[in-house]
Short mmCIF file of all heavy atoms in Angstrom, two decimals:
data_model
loop_
_atom_site.label_atom_id
_atom_site.label_comp_id
_atom_site.label_asym_id
_atom_site.label_seq_id
_atom_site.Cartn_x
_atom_site.Cartn_y
_atom_site.Cartn_z
N CYS A 124 204.59 47.72 79.10
CA CYS A 124 204.12 48.40 77.90
C CYS A 124 202.58 48.47 77.90
O CYS A 124 201.93 47.80 78.70
CB CYS A 124 204.59 47.62 76.69
SG CYS A 124 203.98 45.94 76.70
N TRP A 125 202.08 49.26 76.99
CA TRP A 125 200.63 49.39 76.81
C TRP A 125 200.12 48.10 76.17
O TRP A 125 200.65 47.69 75.13
CB TRP A 125 200.36 50.60 75.92
CG TRP A 125 198.92 50.93 75.69
CD1 TRP A 125 197.91 50.94 76.61
CD2 TRP A 125 198.32 51.30 74.43
NE1 TRP A 125 196.74 51.32 76.01
CE2 TRP A 125 196.95 51.55 74.69
CE3 TRP A 125 198.82 51.48 73.14
CZ2 TRP A 125 196.07 51.96 73.69
CZ3 TRP A 125 197.94 51.89 72.15
CH2 TRP A 125 196.58 52.12 72.42
N PRO A 126 199.12 47.42 76.75
CA PRO A 126 198.69 46.12 76.24
C PRO A 126 198.28 46.15 74.77
O PRO A 126 198.47 45.17 74.05
CB PRO A 126 197.49 45.75 77.11
CG PRO A 126 197.52 46.66 78.28
CD PRO A 126 198.38 47.81 77.97
N SER A 127 197.72 47.26 74.31
CA SER A 127 197.27 47.29 72.91
C SER A 127 198.44 47.22 71.94
O SER A 127 198.29 46.73 70.81
CB SER A 127 196.40 48.51 72.62
OG SER A 127 195.18 48.36 73.31
N HIS A 128 199.62 47.72 72.34
CA HIS A 128 200.78 47.55 71.46
C HIS A 128 201.03 46.07 71.22
O HIS A 128 201.29 45.65 70.09
CB HIS A 128 202.03 48.19 72.08
CG HIS A 128 202.05 49.70 72.00
ND1 HIS A 128 202.66 50.48 72.93
CD2 HIS A 128 201.52 50.56 71.08
CE1 HIS A 128 202.52 51.76 72.61
NE2 HIS A 128 201.83 51.84 71.49
N VAL A 129 200.92 45.28 72.28
CA VAL A 129 201.14 43.84 72.16
C VAL A 129 200.04 43.22 71.29
O VAL A 129 200.32 42.45 70.35
CB VAL A 129 201.14 43.17 73.56
CG1 VAL A 129 201.28 41.67 73.45
CG2 VAL A 129 202.27 43.75 74.41
N GLY A 130 198.79 43.61 71.54
CA GLY A 130 197.68 43.08 70.76
C GLY A 130 197.83 43.38 69.28
O GLY A 130 197.59 42.52 68.42
N MET A 131 198.26 44.60 68.96
CA MET A 131 198.41 44.99 67.55
C MET A 131 199.50 44.16 66.87
O MET A 131 199.36 43.76 65.72
CB MET A 131 198.83 46.47 67.47
CG MET A 131 197.76 47.44 67.87
SD MET A 131 198.54 49.08 68.07
CE MET A 131 197.19 49.95 68.82
N ILE A 132 200.59 43.94 67.61
CA ILE A 132 201.70 43.16 67.04
C ILE A 132 201.23 41.73 66.77
O ILE A 132 201.45 41.17 65.70
CB ILE A 132 202.92 43.19 68.01
CG1 ILE A 132 203.47 44.60 68.13
CG2 ILE A 132 204.00 42.20 67.57
CD1 ILE A 132 204.48 44.81 69.25
N GLU A 133 200.51 41.18 67.75
CA GLU A 133 200.03 39.79 67.59
C GLU A 133 198.99 39.69 66.48
O GLU A 133 198.96 38.72 65.72
CB GLU A 133 199.48 39.27 68.92
CG GLU A 133 200.65 39.02 69.88
CD GLU A 133 200.22 38.63 71.29
OE1 GLU A 133 199.05 38.84 71.64
OE2 GLU A 133 201.09 38.15 72.05
N LEU A 134 198.17 40.71 66.35
CA LEU A 134 197.14 40.70 65.29
C LEU A 134 197.81 40.71 63.92
O LEU A 134 197.28 40.15 62.95
CB LEU A 134 196.23 41.92 65.45
CG LEU A 134 194.93 41.89 64.66
CD1 LEU A 134 194.10 40.67 64.98
CD2 LEU A 134 194.11 43.15 64.91
N ALA A 135 198.97 41.34 63.84
CA ALA A 135 199.71 41.37 62.56
C ALA A 135 200.40 40.02 62.29
O ALA A 135 201.00 39.84 61.24
CB ALA A 135 200.75 42.49 62.60
#
Side-chain angles (χ1 to χ4, degrees):
C124 59
W125 183 43
S127 291
H128 284 150
V129 177
M131 291 168 190
I132 294 169
E133 288 174 344
L134 194 57

